[in-house]
Amino acid sequence: MENFKERWNIKSNWQLVVIFIVFAITGTSSAYLSKPILALFAISKETISGWIYYPLYLLLIFPVYQALLVSYGFIFGQHTFFWAFEKKMLRSCGLGFIVKWFEKL
């Protein structure tokens, strides 16, 4: 735990617990919400091959996760931490242009 606190510059154990809770809720929610989003476009396991459905599902989870992470971080009072975490994650994925776009807003 001390390693996380040191690496992420976290002050208290309570803040660390809240951050772990946000990560857990975000992962579960993004997987849960991606299925109805695909259904809006009439994409389901019954309408297309599993070889197409599951890659689309996994690709959709990524942007849903990113949006929910910052949103839940805001709700739980950790927006500063999660916005910095998000920017770092997007840059490491080669999507730094998204960060630049948001910084212009």
Side-chain angles (χ1 to χ4, degrees):
M1 293 294 236
E2 292 302 319
N3 188 20
F4 283 120
K5 286 173 63 175
E6 202 173 299
R7 184 178 346 156
W8 291 342
N9 195 26
I10 296 171
K11 307 293 184 242
S12 69
N13 287 337
W14 177 248
Q15 185 181 11
L16 187 62
V17 168
V18 170
I19 288 169
F20 285 153
I21 289 170
V22 169
F23 278 125
I25 293 171
T26 302
T28 304
S29 299
S30 63
Y32 184 76
L33 290 175
S34 293
K35 287 181 184 181
I37 292 171
L38 285 174
L40 283 173
F41 296 102
I43 300 172
S44 69
K45 291 181 271 189
E46 292 79 27
T47 59
I48 62 173
S49 166
W51 290 99
I52 297 171
Y53 175 78
Y54 288 109
L56 285 175
Y57 176 61
L58 293 173
L59 286 171
L60 183 60
I61 286 175
F62 182 74
V64 171
Y65 182 86
Q66 306 310 316
L68 289 176
L69 188 63
V70 175
S71 301
Y72 286 144
F74 177 78
I75 291 168
F76 282 86
Q78 298 297 319
H79 182 268
T80 304
F81 171 81
F82 283 104
W83 179 237
F85 188 88
E86 184 69 28
K87 289 191 292 190
K88 186 177 178 181
M89 185 186 321
L90 288 172
R91 286 184 182 122
S92 70
C93 291
L95 300 171
F97 65 92
I98 295 172
V99 174
K100 290 178 185 175
W101 183 76
F102 272 107
E103 288 175 346
K104 288 181 182 178
L105 294 177

